[in-house]
mmCIF file of all heavy atoms in Angstrom:
data_model
loop_
_atom_site.group_PDB
_atom_site.id
_atom_site.type_symbol
_atom_site.label_atom_id
_atom_site.label_comp_id
_atom_site.label_asym_id
_atom_site.label_seq_id
_atom_site.Cartn_x
_atom_site.Cartn_y
_atom_site.Cartn_z
ATOM 1 N N THR A 28 18.200 -11.674 -20.914
ATOM 2 C CA THR A 28 17.451 -10.910 -21.908
ATOM 3 C C THR A 28 17.689 -11.512 -23.285
ATOM 4 O O THR A 28 18.836 -11.673 -23.715
ATOM 5 C CB THR A 28 17.879 -9.426 -21.926
ATOM 6 O OG1 THR A 28 17.698 -8.874 -20.613
ATOM 7 C CG2 THR A 28 17.042 -8.636 -22.910
ATOM 8 N N SER A 29 16.606 -11.876 -23.960
ATOM 9 C CA SER A 29 16.695 -12.359 -25.342
ATOM 10 C C SER A 29 16.449 -11.181 -26.266
ATOM 11 O O SER A 29 15.546 -10.374 -26.042
ATOM 12 C CB SER A 29 15.658 -13.456 -25.594
ATOM 13 O OG SER A 29 14.349 -12.989 -25.298
ATOM 14 N N ILE A 30 17.274 -11.066 -27.312
ATOM 15 C CA ILE A 30 17.262 -9.875 -28.161
ATOM 16 C C ILE A 30 16.963 -10.235 -29.610
ATOM 17 O O ILE A 30 17.725 -10.940 -30.258
ATOM 18 C CB ILE A 30 18.614 -9.135 -28.063
ATOM 19 C CG1 ILE A 30 18.895 -8.747 -26.599
ATOM 20 C CG2 ILE A 30 18.632 -7.896 -28.950
ATOM 21 C CD1 ILE A 30 20.275 -8.193 -26.373
ATOM 22 N N ARG A 31 15.829 -9.791 -30.076
ATOM 23 C CA ARG A 31 15.392 -9.853 -31.470
ATOM 24 C C ARG A 31 15.571 -11.226 -32.140
ATOM 25 O O ARG A 31 16.324 -11.353 -33.120
ATOM 26 C CB ARG A 31 16.100 -8.776 -32.280
ATOM 27 C CG ARG A 31 15.646 -7.371 -31.917
ATOM 28 C CD ARG A 31 16.273 -6.337 -32.816
ATOM 29 N NE ARG A 31 17.707 -6.206 -32.573
ATOM 30 C CZ ARG A 31 18.231 -5.457 -31.609
ATOM 31 N NH1 ARG A 31 17.460 -4.801 -30.797
ATOM 32 N NH2 ARG A 31 19.539 -5.383 -31.453
ATOM 33 N N PRO A 32 14.885 -12.249 -31.649
ATOM 34 C CA PRO A 32 14.903 -13.524 -32.381
ATOM 35 C C PRO A 32 14.195 -13.380 -33.721
ATOM 36 O O PRO A 32 13.313 -12.523 -33.882
ATOM 37 C CB PRO A 32 14.141 -14.474 -31.459
ATOM 38 C CG PRO A 32 13.234 -13.582 -30.674
ATOM 39 C CD PRO A 32 13.990 -12.291 -30.479
ATOM 40 N N GLY A 33 14.566 -14.220 -34.686
ATOM 41 C CA GLY A 33 13.941 -14.154 -36.005
ATOM 42 C C GLY A 33 12.495 -14.605 -35.993
ATOM 43 O O GLY A 33 11.687 -14.164 -36.812
ATOM 44 N N ARG A 34 12.156 -15.485 -35.042
ATOM 45 C CA ARG A 34 10.772 -15.921 -34.875
ATOM 46 C C ARG A 34 10.580 -16.345 -33.431
ATOM 47 O O ARG A 34 11.512 -16.346 -32.644
ATOM 48 C CB ARG A 34 10.428 -17.061 -35.831
ATOM 49 C CG ARG A 34 11.338 -18.265 -35.736
ATOM 50 C CD ARG A 34 10.880 -19.336 -36.705
ATOM 51 N NE ARG A 34 11.780 -20.468 -36.758
ATOM 52 C CZ ARG A 34 11.396 -21.705 -37.020
ATOM 53 N NH1 ARG A 34 10.127 -21.951 -37.251
ATOM 54 N NH2 ARG A 34 12.269 -22.688 -37.068
ATOM 55 N N LYS A 35 9.341 -16.715 -33.100
ATOM 56 C CA LYS A 35 9.019 -17.084 -31.728
ATOM 57 C C LYS A 35 9.858 -18.276 -31.278
ATOM 58 O O LYS A 35 10.056 -19.235 -32.023
ATOM 59 C CB LYS A 35 7.538 -17.417 -31.623
ATOM 60 C CG LYS A 35 7.070 -17.729 -30.206
ATOM 61 C CD LYS A 35 5.560 -17.746 -30.120
ATOM 62 C CE LYS A 35 4.968 -18.847 -30.977
ATOM 63 N NZ LYS A 35 3.509 -18.947 -30.798
ATOM 64 N N THR A 36 10.360 -18.219 -30.037
ATOM 65 C CA THR A 36 11.182 -19.298 -29.492
ATOM 66 C C THR A 36 10.985 -19.347 -27.986
ATOM 67 O O THR A 36 10.188 -18.596 -27.424
ATOM 68 C CB THR A 36 12.666 -19.113 -29.842
ATOM 69 O OG1 THR A 36 13.415 -20.251 -29.392
ATOM 70 C CG2 THR A 36 13.247 -17.864 -29.224
ATOM 71 N N TYR A 37 11.712 -20.215 -27.321
ATOM 72 C CA TYR A 37 11.803 -20.155 -25.866
ATOM 73 C C TYR A 37 13.198 -20.568 -25.441
ATOM 74 O O TYR A 37 13.913 -21.276 -26.153
ATOM 75 C CB TYR A 37 10.738 -21.023 -25.174
ATOM 76 C CG TYR A 37 10.941 -22.516 -25.264
ATOM 77 C CD1 TYR A 37 11.797 -23.193 -24.385
ATOM 78 C CD2 TYR A 37 10.249 -23.276 -26.205
ATOM 79 C CE1 TYR A 37 11.977 -24.566 -24.451
ATOM 80 C CE2 TYR A 37 10.425 -24.654 -26.281
ATOM 81 C CZ TYR A 37 11.279 -25.287 -25.397
ATOM 82 O OH TYR A 37 11.455 -26.650 -25.471
ATOM 83 N N LEU A 38 13.619 -20.086 -24.266
ATOM 84 C CA LEU A 38 14.925 -20.414 -23.720
ATOM 85 C C LEU A 38 14.754 -20.990 -22.327
ATOM 86 O O LEU A 38 13.872 -20.568 -21.571
ATOM 87 C CB LEU A 38 15.835 -19.190 -23.678
ATOM 88 C CG LEU A 38 16.154 -18.574 -25.054
ATOM 89 C CD1 LEU A 38 15.320 -17.323 -25.269
ATOM 90 C CD2 LEU A 38 17.624 -18.258 -25.183
ATOM 91 N N THR A 39 15.607 -21.949 -21.989
ATOM 92 C CA THR A 39 15.557 -22.616 -20.686
ATOM 93 C C THR A 39 16.920 -22.507 -20.014
ATOM 94 O O THR A 39 17.934 -22.893 -20.606
ATOM 95 C CB THR A 39 15.184 -24.100 -20.846
ATOM 96 O OG1 THR A 39 13.892 -24.201 -21.456
ATOM 97 C CG2 THR A 39 15.163 -24.805 -19.498
ATOM 98 N N ALA A 40 16.948 -21.970 -18.790
ATOM 99 C CA ALA A 40 18.181 -21.889 -18.005
ATOM 100 C C ALA A 40 18.147 -22.966 -16.932
ATOM 101 O O ALA A 40 17.124 -23.170 -16.268
ATOM 102 C CB ALA A 40 18.307 -20.510 -17.364
ATOM 103 N N TYR A 41 19.270 -23.658 -16.746
ATOM 104 C CA TYR A 41 19.313 -24.759 -15.778
ATOM 105 C C TYR A 41 20.763 -25.035 -15.378
ATOM 106 O O TYR A 41 21.701 -24.579 -16.057
ATOM 107 C CB TYR A 41 18.667 -26.014 -16.368
ATOM 108 C CG TYR A 41 19.322 -26.556 -17.615
ATOM 109 C CD1 TYR A 41 20.197 -27.643 -17.552
ATOM 110 C CD2 TYR A 41 19.075 -25.977 -18.863
ATOM 111 C CE1 TYR A 41 20.798 -28.140 -18.700
ATOM 112 C CE2 TYR A 41 19.675 -26.475 -20.005
ATOM 113 C CZ TYR A 41 20.529 -27.555 -19.920
ATOM 114 O OH TYR A 41 21.133 -28.043 -21.059
ATOM 115 N N PRO A 42 20.989 -25.772 -14.278
ATOM 116 C CA PRO A 42 22.357 -26.050 -13.833
ATOM 117 C C PRO A 42 23.090 -26.929 -14.843
ATOM 118 O O PRO A 42 22.558 -27.948 -15.300
ATOM 119 C CB PRO A 42 22.161 -26.800 -12.507
ATOM 120 C CG PRO A 42 20.768 -26.478 -12.078
ATOM 121 C CD PRO A 42 19.987 -26.301 -13.337
ATOM 122 N N SER A 43 24.289 -26.545 -15.197
ATOM 123 C CA SER A 43 25.096 -27.353 -16.114
ATOM 124 C C SER A 43 25.359 -28.723 -15.492
ATOM 125 O O SER A 43 25.549 -28.850 -14.283
ATOM 126 C CB SER A 43 26.424 -26.660 -16.419
ATOM 127 O OG SER A 43 26.199 -25.430 -17.069
ATOM 128 N N GLY A 44 25.356 -29.747 -16.333
ATOM 129 C CA GLY A 44 25.598 -31.099 -15.863
ATOM 130 C C GLY A 44 24.344 -31.856 -15.514
ATOM 131 O O GLY A 44 24.389 -33.071 -15.290
ATOM 132 N N GLN A 45 23.199 -31.176 -15.462
ATOM 133 C CA GLN A 45 21.929 -31.833 -15.204
ATOM 134 C C GLN A 45 21.142 -31.956 -16.500
ATOM 135 O O GLN A 45 21.411 -31.259 -17.482
ATOM 136 C CB GLN A 45 21.105 -31.065 -14.169
ATOM 137 C CG GLN A 45 21.747 -30.994 -12.798
ATOM 138 C CD GLN A 45 20.818 -30.374 -11.764
ATOM 139 O OE1 GLN A 45 19.632 -30.166 -12.007
ATOM 140 N NE2 GLN A 45 21.355 -30.068 -10.588
ATOM 141 N N ASN A 46 20.156 -32.863 -16.521
ATOM 142 C CA ASN A 46 19.295 -32.991 -17.687
ATOM 143 C C ASN A 46 18.492 -31.714 -17.877
ATOM 144 O O ASN A 46 18.016 -31.114 -16.902
ATOM 145 C CB ASN A 46 18.353 -34.176 -17.526
ATOM 146 C CG ASN A 46 19.084 -35.509 -17.517
ATOM 147 O OD1 ASN A 46 20.133 -35.652 -18.139
ATOM 148 N ND2 ASN A 46 18.543 -36.477 -16.807
ATOM 149 N N ARG A 47 18.348 -31.293 -19.119
ATOM 150 C CA ARG A 47 17.561 -30.089 -19.396
ATOM 151 C C ARG A 47 16.107 -30.320 -19.011
ATOM 152 O O ARG A 47 15.475 -31.276 -19.454
ATOM 153 C CB ARG A 47 17.675 -29.721 -20.875
ATOM 154 C CG ARG A 47 16.808 -28.523 -21.264
ATOM 155 C CD ARG A 47 17.156 -28.019 -22.650
ATOM 156 N NE ARG A 47 17.084 -29.051 -23.656
ATOM 157 C CZ ARG A 47 15.969 -29.397 -24.291
ATOM 158 N NH1 ARG A 47 14.832 -28.789 -24.006
ATOM 159 N NH2 ARG A 47 15.986 -30.342 -25.210
ATOM 160 N N PRO A 48 15.534 -29.444 -18.176
ATOM 161 C CA PRO A 48 14.147 -29.626 -17.741
ATOM 162 C C PRO A 48 13.147 -29.237 -18.823
ATOM 163 O O PRO A 48 13.477 -28.490 -19.758
ATOM 164 C CB PRO A 48 14.029 -28.699 -16.534
ATOM 165 C CG PRO A 48 15.028 -27.619 -16.815
ATOM 166 C CD PRO A 48 16.170 -28.284 -17.536
ATOM 167 N N ASP A 49 11.929 -29.718 -18.690
ATOM 168 C CA ASP A 49 10.858 -29.401 -19.625
ATOM 169 C C ASP A 49 10.127 -28.152 -19.155
ATOM 170 O O ASP A 49 8.953 -28.174 -18.805
ATOM 171 C CB ASP A 49 9.888 -30.577 -19.739
ATOM 172 C CG ASP A 49 8.813 -30.335 -20.800
ATOM 173 O OD1 ASP A 49 9.057 -29.508 -21.698
ATOM 174 O OD2 ASP A 49 7.747 -30.976 -20.721
ATOM 175 N N SER A 50 10.840 -27.049 -19.114
ATOM 176 C CA SER A 50 10.273 -25.773 -18.692
ATOM 177 C C SER A 50 10.982 -24.654 -19.430
ATOM 178 O O SER A 50 12.051 -24.861 -20.011
ATOM 179 C CB SER A 50 10.417 -25.583 -17.174
ATOM 180 O OG SER A 50 11.782 -25.570 -16.816
ATOM 181 N N SER A 51 10.381 -23.466 -19.433
ATOM 182 C CA SER A 51 10.964 -22.332 -20.145
ATOM 183 C C SER A 51 11.256 -21.201 -19.177
ATOM 184 O O SER A 51 10.545 -21.014 -18.191
ATOM 185 C CB SER A 51 10.026 -21.848 -21.252
ATOM 186 O OG SER A 51 8.778 -21.458 -20.712
ATOM 187 N N THR A 52 12.300 -20.434 -19.476
ATOM 188 C CA THR A 52 12.669 -19.286 -18.666
ATOM 189 C C THR A 52 12.273 -17.983 -19.347
ATOM 190 O O THR A 52 11.831 -17.046 -18.695
ATOM 191 C CB THR A 52 14.195 -19.290 -18.410
ATOM 192 O OG1 THR A 52 14.580 -20.565 -17.870
ATOM 193 C CG2 THR A 52 14.592 -18.200 -17.432
ATOM 194 N N LEU A 53 12.436 -17.908 -20.664
ATOM 195 C CA LEU A 53 11.991 -16.771 -21.451
ATOM 196 C C LEU A 53 11.178 -17.275 -22.631
ATOM 197 O O LEU A 53 11.462 -18.339 -23.182
ATOM 198 C CB LEU A 53 13.167 -15.955 -21.990
ATOM 199 C CG LEU A 53 14.084 -15.206 -21.029
ATOM 200 C CD1 LEU A 53 15.262 -16.081 -20.679
ATOM 201 C CD2 LEU A 53 14.578 -13.926 -21.673
ATOM 202 N N ASN A 54 10.180 -16.471 -23.026
ATOM 203 C CA ASN A 54 9.338 -16.824 -24.172
ATOM 204 C C ASN A 54 9.217 -15.621 -25.102
ATOM 205 O O ASN A 54 8.183 -14.952 -25.148
ATOM 206 C CB ASN A 54 7.949 -17.266 -23.694
ATOM 207 C CG ASN A 54 7.992 -18.501 -22.824
ATOM 208 O OD1 ASN A 54 7.963 -19.617 -23.303
ATOM 209 N ND2 ASN A 54 8.091 -18.285 -21.519
ATOM 210 N N PRO A 55 10.274 -15.297 -25.854
ATOM 211 C CA PRO A 55 10.250 -14.095 -26.687
ATOM 212 C C PRO A 55 9.493 -14.300 -28.003
ATOM 213 O O PRO A 55 9.410 -15.410 -28.522
ATOM 214 C CB PRO A 55 11.728 -13.822 -26.957
ATOM 215 C CG PRO A 55 12.359 -15.172 -26.910
ATOM 216 C CD PRO A 55 11.599 -15.944 -25.867
ATOM 217 N N ARG A 56 8.967 -13.197 -28.507
ATOM 218 C CA ARG A 56 8.341 -13.175 -29.824
ATOM 219 C C ARG A 56 9.329 -12.644 -30.844
ATOM 220 O O ARG A 56 10.343 -12.042 -30.495
ATOM 221 C CB ARG A 56 7.090 -12.302 -29.793
ATOM 222 C CG ARG A 56 5.970 -12.852 -28.937
ATOM 223 C CD ARG A 56 4.830 -11.868 -28.817
ATOM 224 N NE ARG A 56 5.235 -10.672 -28.075
ATOM 225 C CZ ARG A 56 4.411 -9.667 -27.784
ATOM 226 N NH1 ARG A 56 3.170 -9.707 -28.195
ATOM 227 N NH2 ARG A 56 4.844 -8.631 -27.098
ATOM 228 N N ALA A 57 9.036 -12.866 -32.103
ATOM 229 C CA ALA A 57 9.932 -12.431 -33.174
ATOM 230 C C ALA A 57 10.193 -10.933 -33.085
ATOM 231 O O ALA A 57 9.267 -10.131 -32.944
ATOM 232 C CB ALA A 57 9.319 -12.778 -34.528
ATOM 233 N N GLY A 58 11.481 -10.559 -33.156
ATOM 234 C CA GLY A 58 11.862 -9.161 -33.178
ATOM 235 C C GLY A 58 11.792 -8.433 -31.852
ATOM 236 O O GLY A 58 12.066 -7.238 -31.796
ATOM 237 N N SER A 59 11.442 -9.132 -30.768
ATOM 238 C CA SER A 59 11.233 -8.468 -29.486
ATOM 239 C C SER A 59 12.473 -8.550 -28.605
ATOM 240 O O SER A 59 13.393 -9.321 -28.857
ATOM 241 C CB SER A 59 10.038 -9.090 -28.753
ATOM 242 O OG SER A 59 10.302 -10.455 -28.446
ATOM 243 N N VAL A 60 12.491 -7.724 -27.572
ATOM 244 C CA VAL A 60 13.523 -7.775 -26.536
ATOM 245 C C VAL A 60 12.809 -8.125 -25.235
ATOM 246 O O VAL A 60 12.011 -7.329 -24.731
ATOM 247 C CB VAL A 60 14.263 -6.437 -26.396
ATOM 248 C CG1 VAL A 60 15.287 -6.501 -25.266
ATOM 249 C CG2 VAL A 60 14.943 -6.060 -27.709
ATOM 250 N N VAL A 61 13.058 -9.318 -24.691
ATOM 251 C CA VAL A 61 12.315 -9.813 -23.533
ATOM 252 C C VAL A 61 13.269 -10.126 -22.384
ATOM 253 O O VAL A 61 14.157 -10.968 -22.532
ATOM 254 C CB VAL A 61 11.504 -11.070 -23.893
ATOM 255 C CG1 VAL A 61 10.821 -11.645 -22.654
ATOM 256 C CG2 VAL A 61 10.463 -10.750 -24.953
ATOM 257 N N PRO A 62 13.106 -9.448 -21.228
ATOM 258 C CA PRO A 62 13.935 -9.752 -20.059
ATOM 259 C C PRO A 62 13.211 -10.677 -19.097
ATOM 260 O O PRO A 62 11.969 -10.719 -19.061
ATOM 261 C CB PRO A 62 14.123 -8.371 -19.417
ATOM 262 C CG PRO A 62 12.804 -7.688 -19.686
ATOM 263 C CD PRO A 62 12.309 -8.223 -21.025
#
Side-chain angles (χ1 to χ4, degrees):
T28 303
S29 56
I30 302 172
R31 291 185 291 277
R34 56 179 174 150
K35 184 167 63 175
T36 185
Y37 72 83
L38 298 103
T39 299
Y41 61 100
S43 297
Q45 296 187 10
N46 294 330
R47 176 169 55 85
D49 185 22
S50 62
S51 59
T52 307
L53 294 93
N54 298 273
R56 293 173 294 182
S59 63
V60 177
V61 175

